[in-house]
């Protein structure tokens, strides 16, 4: 047996890296355990793969394990596995050089300033070397599965400075054992509860059992106790998972007792393999509307190892209510959020996850159950943001929108655009919608009168983001959208309430002029309405005028907006208008016209700049009501 100890120098980049680790002030040192467990789990995967390849030999299946021993008297923590192990060439290559080009490149670009910044440690694949954050010295004993002689196992030891030692030793089993001699101030890693916590946090879903050694004081014997669940639910095929298991898992990752509404679970193969298990919750989380809420319920795993919560870059913002996990194969462990954002794999996965969620919603929307309605009620407002945010999927999202309409006698939004189109009037070319402050005022808006008469349905929009959304939604299935708060000449021609032509009548012409002179710059124009039936007057916006709602939004955002100027439409067939036309007294006429204008404004924008002024004026007119006869 060759007992000659060899001294090897670390590659210079590794020296730099080790220096960084040893002097690290990085607060999250516990990640070293995640790294070592992930290596052990990889080694077992590799062994499994190798056994699969060598099918000729019949191998008895051994129990796979990752084992942890805490030794308080020696100050050591040992992580061992019965995976593939390493031979001498491999250990020199793997633990003495940086083979991976990504890390190499990263180290090359590292400036002294960045080295001082501890946070960087969490940002790239330092893997095995991260153990030097807590270790005085690390000893590795390993035997490759193809090495049949236990005496030819490899011993590796280093204190993380310039060099490491290599020797041969006896090792009973194939696999690797990493023994960490802890720094004096890192002794908390000798506590079992601490180790359990770390493993629950990062490695619960490693499929291989992670066992910790326990000492039974009665029998004076050692035994192994499993501390991880060792079941990565998402890696199983759908057919192997029960509904209850899906629901329990949802609870595990969200702690949301309301349960999930639906889920989509997919194993994707190809060049960028990944698995996703995404849930639509029944209830939204309390902070979903917070401005700086970066909470996105996606947990990122890389090859079954937990990487981070709130991996928000995998779904667009308008799907931020989705919870679940993504397990990607080809991303480097220890990847940072910033790097993740820019990664091309991330972008590809994001596109396909978005499609999956939209498909799931599509399926729900076609089912008889009420699930889609529950979804819409809970998340519809957020989902609508997608019309603006996601141009690629705009048509799909539009398909999933739900509205209430004039013909629907409830504020509940259950009408889809497809249904609206199906029920369109034969002469109707556009999809009509009305924007109002709330459902009640939409429902009773004077703008609807002519539509009621012609039996043409109108979508009623009163959600705070509706008008903003409609700026982006201009067409659906070749049908244009038209706001009925705005002028629409085509419509007016086609659906005119009668064929009378008042414009030639000098008396009426004069009346309109008097109104215009009274209201002055408050209105852009005064016209005879072709569409008001029950209301005396209404304000209508020009095609490109900023609506009062948008104006309010802009003002709230601190932007200056020009005052909204309306066209005042007068219903010449209305009794009140007929009476006002007959008023001779100029002062009295002015009061009535102001009242007419204010009530139209109130109906249109749901509030007045000076309601008291309006009330005073009205009271005056009520007292003197014998003035009109
Ligand atoms: P990474 O895991 O990203 O490759 P690490 O620094 O964690 O980087 O590990 C470097 C290499 O050392 C691994 O790729 C693997 O080949 C080898 N290695 C580390 N731990 C083990 C182990 N427990 N069993 C077998 N090989 C190991
Ligand atoms: Mg590793």
């Amino acid at each position: 047996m060759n007992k000659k100890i060899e001294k090897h120098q670390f590659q210079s980049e590794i020296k730099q890296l080790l220096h960084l680790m040893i002097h690290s002030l990085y607060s999250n040192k516990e990640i070293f355990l995640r790294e070592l467990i992930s290596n052990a789990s990889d080694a077992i995967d590799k062994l499994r793969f190798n056994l699969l390849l060598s099918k000729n030999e019949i191998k008895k299946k051994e129990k796979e394990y990752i084992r942890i021993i805490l030794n308080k008297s020696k100050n050591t923590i040992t992580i061992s596995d019965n995976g593939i192990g390493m031979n001498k060439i491999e250990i020199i290559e793997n633990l003495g050089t940086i083979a991976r080009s990504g890390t190499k490149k990263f180290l090359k670009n590292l400036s002294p300033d960045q080295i001082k910044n501890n946070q960087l440690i969490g940002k790239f694949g330092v893997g095995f070397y991260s153990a030097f954050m807590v270790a005085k010295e690390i000893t590795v004993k390993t035997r490759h599965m193809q090495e049949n002689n236990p005496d030819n196992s490899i011993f590796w030891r280093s204190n993380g400075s310039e060099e490491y030692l290599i020797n041969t030793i006896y090792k009973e089993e194939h696999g690797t054992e990493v023994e960490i001699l802890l720094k004096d101030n890192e002794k908390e890693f000798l506590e079992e509860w601490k180790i359990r916590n770390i493993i629950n946090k990062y490695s619960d879903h490693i499929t291989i059992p992670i066992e910790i050694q326990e000492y039974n004081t009665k029998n004076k014997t050692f035994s192994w106790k499993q501390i991880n669940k060792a079941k990565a639910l998402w890696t199983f095929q759908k057919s192997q998972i029960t509904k209850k298991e899906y629901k329990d898992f949802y609870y595990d990752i969200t702690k949301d007792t309301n349960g999930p509404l639906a889920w989509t679970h997919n194993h994707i193969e190809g060049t960028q393999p990944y698995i996703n298990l995404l849930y639509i919750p029944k209830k939204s989380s309390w902070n979903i509307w917070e401005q700086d809420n970066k909470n996105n319920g996606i947990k990122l795993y890389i090859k079954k190892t937990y990487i981070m919560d709130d991996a928000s870059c995998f779904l667009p913002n308008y799907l931020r209510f989705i919870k679940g996990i993504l397990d990607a194969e080809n991303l480097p462990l220890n990847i940072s959020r910033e790097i993740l954002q820019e990664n091309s794999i991330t972008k590809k996965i994001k596109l396909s996850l978005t499609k999956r969620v939209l498909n799931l919603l599509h399926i729900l929307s076609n089912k008889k159950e009420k699930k889609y309605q529950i979804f819409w009620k809970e998340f519809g407002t957020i989902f609508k943001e997608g019309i603006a945010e996601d141009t690629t999927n705009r048509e799909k999202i539009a398909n999933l929108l739900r509205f209430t309409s004039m013909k629907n006698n409830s504020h509940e939004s259950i009408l889809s655009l497809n249904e609206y189109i199906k029920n369109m009037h034969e002469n109707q070319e556009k999809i009509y919608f009305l924007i109002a402050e709330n459902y009640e005022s939409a429902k009773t808006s004077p703008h609807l009168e002519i539509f009621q008469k012609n039996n043409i349905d109108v979508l009623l929009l009163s959600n705070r983001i509706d008008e903003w959304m409609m700026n982006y939604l201009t067409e659906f299935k070749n049908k244009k959208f038209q706001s009925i708060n705005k002028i629409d000449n085509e419509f007016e021609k086609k659906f005119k309430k009668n064929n009378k032509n008042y414009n030639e009548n000098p008396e009426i012409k004069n009346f309109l002029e008097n109104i215009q002179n009274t209201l002055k710059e408050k209105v852009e124009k005064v016209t005879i309405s072709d569409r008001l039936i029950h209301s005396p007057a209404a304000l209508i916006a020009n095609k490109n005028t900023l609506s009062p709602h948008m104006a309010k939004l802009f003002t709230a955002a601190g932007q200056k907006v020009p005052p909204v100027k309306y066209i005042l439409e007068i219903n010449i067939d209305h009794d009140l208008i007929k009476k006002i036309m007959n008023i001779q007294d100029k002062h009295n006429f002015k009061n009535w016209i102001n009242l007419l204008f204010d009530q139209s404004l109130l109906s249109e924008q749901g509030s007045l700049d000076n309601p008291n002024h309006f009330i005073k004026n009205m009271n005056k007119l009520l007292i003197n009501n014998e003035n009109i006869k």
Side-chain angles (χ1 to χ4, degrees), residues 11 13 98-109:
Q11 192 191 26
E13 282 111 323
I98 292 183
R100 286 157 305 147
S101 58
T103 312
K104 228 177 183 170
K105 212 164 128 196
F106 187 90
L107 277 176
K108 269 207 184 113
N109 295 331

Side-chain angles (χ1 to χ4, degrees), residues 395-410:
E395 177 95 6
K396 269 197 186 139
I397 298 168
N399 259 303
L400 290 164
L401 296 175
R402 291 294 179 270
F403 298 89
T404 183
S405 75
M406 185 183 80
K407 289 191 186 176
N408 170 25
N409 272 324
S410 128

Side-chain angles (χ1 to χ4, degrees), residues 505-522:
N505 184 327
E507 196 192 347
I508 291 174
K509 245 177 141 177
N510 188 33
F511 176 53
L512 295 186
E513 265 171 35
N514 286 342
I515 299 174
Q516 175 78 66
N517 291 338
T518 308
L519 294 174
K520 298 208 175 74
E521 71 280 4
K522 278 195 202 165

